[in-house]
């Protein structure tokens, strides 16, 4: 094989995507060795495409300018052996003399599975540019945030507690973000309805709307609405002048009121979407799970339908995140009790929303089976499939010992589950399911366990593209074994 940069002459070499920074870096590094693009057969491919071409034998070498370890090479190293070419000291010095933004770096032998020794490489320094109007305090705060703390790899925190104030700040950011999304949805819906019924709409003064909302814009209540009977029904179900009414009148906290009515069994919640279940129009499944009519209408009923949905999510997720999941995977529809049993837990339904594992991926000699809860609606399954596919990607690309050494074994679940929750929510936004993603985001971010803490950490670092446009934005998938 090729063991030195000089041997690239006459070879087919991927120099990065056209007009990318990698393409110019390749030209500069080759130039130091007296090699031009005329001396090679250049192809212009992304890192992931370059890795595939290396494996398929359509190229001889590729340039990759990315933090090590990088996903494309980590995945390639699991099935293909390659040489990481070193740049000797003499050529590094010559390169730096012409281009001051290069700096020497050593890629250690444990970075990729196929490496047997360290490689001397060059890295490109990043430059942060600030406007002349930026205050010194802002620059100081930025630099302190960037360099003020030692990396956790040096000092893993086995039982580091989450700062309560930071948690409140992150939750406030999430609430503000999601409130904006829902307000935008309401505005869009109002505009859509206005366009559909523009000729029929009559402007009604706000006070009239507030005091006569049951008139539906007319002069009296419609015949089909039994106002008195409805009031009696609400009273029979203790839904008049109770906790939520007090919350609406700012007498008590709304979250406390919701928790109380759920705890008292006054209001049940759908075990799939979390929406309140009022009256009798909802399904109670054989094992006691409760399902609203909306979720019932969207239930995936057959194994064939489940397999079709899984194939769609797997392909779409790989494209949107720019990843490859190589392992053979099958999916099976099972009861909630079986899923709980596979995780050494039990499931007992309650009137409230039953937080539980609705899916689990099991590895058997490199072949995975994802067990998914029966009776689940399509959106719930999409969320669970994307969550479990993230775990399988982690198992393919992460070394558990390295993760534990880097972040502390006590934080293992935070790292793994936090990314899986973040990934599933971001995927839901990416496939244009903002309402379900918003509700899930709100529920998961409030959790006090590893799932909630992990989600808040990943959100703090990567944010959340609520418009669904992941594009080239950095995600945990591109961070290798340094996700946080």
């Amino acid at each position: 094989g090729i063991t030195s940069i000089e041997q690239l002459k006459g070879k087919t070499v991927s120099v990065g995507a056209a007009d990318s920074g990698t393409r110019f870096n390749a030209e500069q590094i080759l130039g130091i060795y007296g090699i031009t693009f005329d001396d090679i057969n250049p192809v212009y491919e992304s890192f992931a495409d370059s890795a595939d071409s290396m494996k398929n034998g359509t190229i001889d070498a590729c340039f990759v300018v990315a933090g090590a370890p990088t996903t494309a090479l980590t995945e390639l190293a699991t099935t293909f052996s390659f040489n990481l070419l070193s740049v000797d000291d003499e050529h590094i010095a010559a390169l730096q003399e012409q281009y001051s933004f290069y700096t020497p770096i050593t890629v250690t032998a444990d970075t990729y599975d196929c490496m047997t020794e360290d490689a001397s490489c060059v890295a490109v320094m990043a430059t942060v540019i600030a406007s002349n109007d930026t205050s010194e305090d802002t620059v100081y705060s930025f630099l302190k945030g960037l360099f003020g703390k030692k990396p956790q790899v040096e000092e893993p925190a086995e039982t580091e507690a989450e700062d309560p104030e930071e948690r409140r700040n992150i939750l406030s950011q999430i609430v503000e973000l999601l409130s904006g999304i829902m307000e935008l949805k309401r505005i869009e819906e109002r505009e859509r309805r206005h366009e559909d019924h523009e000729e029929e709409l009559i402007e009604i003064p706000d006070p009239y709307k507030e005091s006569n909302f049951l008139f539906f814009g007319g002069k009296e209540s419609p015949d089909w609405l039994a106002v008195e009977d409805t009031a009696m029904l609400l009273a029979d179900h203790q839904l008049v002048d109770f906790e939520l009414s007090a919350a609406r009148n700012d007498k008590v906290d709304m979250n406390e009121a919701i928790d109380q009515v759920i705890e008292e069994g006054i209001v049940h919640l759908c075990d799939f979407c979390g929406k309140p279940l009022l009256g009798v129009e909802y399904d109670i499944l054989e094992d006691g799970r409760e399902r609203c009519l909306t979720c019932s209408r969207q239930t995936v009923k057959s194994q064939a339908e489940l397999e079709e949905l899984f194939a769609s999510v797997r392909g779409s997720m790989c494209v949107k995140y720019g990843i490859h999941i190589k392992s053979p995977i099958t999916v099976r529809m099972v009861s909630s009790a079986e899923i709980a049993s596979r995780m050494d837990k039990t499931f007992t339904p309650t009137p409230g929303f039953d937080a539980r594992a609705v899916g689990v991926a099991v590895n058997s000699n490199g072949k995975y089976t994802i067990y998914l809860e029966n009776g689940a609606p399509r959106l719930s399954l999409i969320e669970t499939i994307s969550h479990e596919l993230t775990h399988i990607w982690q198992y393919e690309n992460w070394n558990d010992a390295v993760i534990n050494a880097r972040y502390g074994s006590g934080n293992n679940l935070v790292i793994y589950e936090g990314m899986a929750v973040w990934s599933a929510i971001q995927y839901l936004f990416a496939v244009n399911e903002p309402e379900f993603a918003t509700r899930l985001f709100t529920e998961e971010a409030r959790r006090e366990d590893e799932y909630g803490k992990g989600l808040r950490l990943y959100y703090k670092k990567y944010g959340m593209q609520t418009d669904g446009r992941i594009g080239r934005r950095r995600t945990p998938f591109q961070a290798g074994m340094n996700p946080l």
Side-chain angles (χ1 to χ4, degrees), residues 61-80:
C62 63
F63 279 84
V64 176
V65 181
T70 191
T71 303
L73 296 186
T74 299
E75 292 184 353
L76 179 63
T78 60
T79 56
F80 183 85

Side-chain angles (χ1 to χ4, degrees), residues 6 22 29 34 36 47 64 78 92 109 118 120 128 163 170 223 234 249 269 281 306 321 331 340 373 376 403 427 430:
E6 290 91 341
T22 300
I29 293 170
T36 69
F47 299 157
V64 176
T78 60
I92 289 177
D118 296 349
S120 298
V128 179
D163 178 47
I170 293 176
D223 294 338
L234 294 174
N249 294 323
L269 298 180
E281 292 191 350
L306 176 64
Y321 283 123
V331 288
E373 191 177 67
I403 295 294
Y427 178 74

Side-chain angles (χ1 to χ4, degrees), residues 69 151 160 164 166 171 214 222 282 328 367 376 411 419 429 442 448 465 474 480:
E160 182 181 353
E166 183 178 45
L171 285 176
L214 291 179
Y282 60 90
K367 296 181 179 180
N411 290 321
M419 177 177 170
F429 279 117
T442 305
E448 299 292 345
Q465 284 299 101
R474 183 171 173 80

Side-chain angles (χ1 to χ4, degrees), residues 136-199:
E136 291 185 5
D137 289 342
T138 301
V139 173
Y140 173 80
S141 299
F142 172 78
L143 293 176
K144 183 180 179 182
L146 195 62
F147 302 111
K149 294 182 179 180
K150 291 183 178 180
Q152 195 173 5
V153 64
E154 297 179 14
E155 212 172 316
E158 289 282 344
T159 57
E160 182 181 353
E162 186 178 18
D163 178 47
E165 184 62 29
E166 183 178 45
R167 177 183 181 276
R168 281 193 293 272
N169 289 338
I170 293 176
L171 285 176
S172 295
Q173 293 174 25
I174 293 173
V175 168
E176 184 177 352
L177 174 73
L178 299 183
S179 297
I181 297 169
M182 297 315 294
E183 179 60 25
L184 182 61
K185 293 290 292 182
R186 285 191 288 269
I187 292 172
E188 291 175 347
E189 180 64 16
R190 283 199 296 269
E191 290 178 348
R192 184 188 65 79
R193 289 179 180 177
H194 187 276
E195 291 173 358
D196 291 345
H197 307 287
E198 188 170 2
E199 294 181 357

Side-chain angles (χ1 to χ4, degrees), residues 47-319:
F47 299 157
D49 290 339
S50 295
D52 286 340
S53 296
M54 287 284 290
K55 186 164 53 177
N56 297 333
T58 56
I59 63 173
D60 301 302
C62 63
F63 279 84
V64 176
V65 181
T70 191
T71 303
L73 296 186
T74 299
E75 292 184 353
L76 179 63
T78 60
T79 56
F80 183 85
S81 182
F82 58 84
N83 296 322
L84 197 61
L85 304 183
S86 287
V87 183
D88 59 74
D89 293 342
E90 179 184 349
H91 286 92
I92 289 177
L95 187 65
Q96 288 182 300
E97 186 175 346
Q98 288 194 39
Y99 311 102
S100 59
F101 49 82
Y102 283 100
T103 185
I105 188 173
T106 299
V107 179
T108 58
D110 60 354
T111 304
Y112 300 109
D113 290 345
C114 61
M115 292 181 65
T116 57
E117 59 184 16
D118 296 349
S120 298
C121 301
V122 288
V124 180
M125 290 187 286
T127 302
V128 179
I129 300 174
S131 165
N132 290 332
D133 299 329
T134 306
S135 68
E136 291 185 5
D137 289 342
T138 301
V139 173
Y140 173 80
S141 299
F142 172 78
L143 293 176
K144 183 180 179 182
L146 195 62
F147 302 111
K149 294 182 179 180
K150 291 183 178 180
Q152 195 173 5
V153 64
E154 297 179 14
E155 212 172 316
E158 289 282 344
T159 57
E160 182 181 353
E162 186 178 18
D163 178 47
E165 184 62 29
E166 183 178 45
R167 177 183 181 276
R168 281 193 293 272
N169 289 338
I170 293 176
L171 285 176
S172 295
Q173 293 174 25
I174 293 173
V175 168
E176 184 177 352
L177 174 73
L178 299 183
S179 297
I181 297 169
M182 297 315 294
E183 179 60 25
L184 182 61
K185 293 290 292 182
R186 285 191 288 269
I187 292 172
E188 291 175 347
E189 180 64 16
R190 283 199 296 269
E191 290 178 348
R192 184 188 65 79
R193 289 179 180 177
H194 187 276
E195 291 173 358
D196 291 345
H197 307 287
E198 188 170 2
E199 294 181 357
E200 304 173 15
L201 287 177
I202 301 174
E203 280 300 318
I204 303 170
D206 285 342
Y208 175 87
K209 291 180 182 178
E210 293 177 3
S211 60
N212 300 284
F213 66 94
L214 291 179
F215 289 1
F216 292 92
K219 295 182 178 179
E220 58 185 13
S221 298
D223 294 338
W224 50 263
L225 179 61
V227 178
E228 293 182 2
D229 291 342
T230 302
M232 292 177 60
L233 178 65
L234 294 174
D236 289 342
H237 285 79
Q238 305 176 53
L239 297 176
V240 178
D241 294 329
F242 79 132
E243 287 83 356
L244 295 185
S245 302
R248 282 192 293 272
N249 294 323
D250 295 327
K251 295 179 182 178
V252 299
D253 179 74
M254 178 60 83
N255 288 328
E256 293 179 2
I258 292 174
D259 292 340
Q260 184 174 346
V261 298
I262 292 172
E263 184 177 342
E264 294 176 0
I266 298 173
V267 175
H268 291 218
L269 298 180
C270 174
D271 282 319
F272 297 94
C273 72
K275 287 184 178 178
L277 303 171
L278 300 177
V280 295
E281 292 191 350
Y282 60 90
D283 295 330
I284 301 178
L285 307 186
E286 290 183 2
D287 58 2
R289 288 173 295 161
E290 296 167 315
R291 188 176 62 196
C292 70
L293 295 186
T294 300
C295 287
S296 292
R297 285 193 293 268
Q298 298 174 354
T299 300
V300 173
K301 296 181 174 63
S302 68
Q303 177 68 25
E305 191 179 352
L306 176 64
E307 291 173 358
E308 182 180 353
L309 178 63
F310 170 75
S312 173
V313 173
R314 178 177 182 172
S316 172
M317 186 175 170
C318 287
V319 169

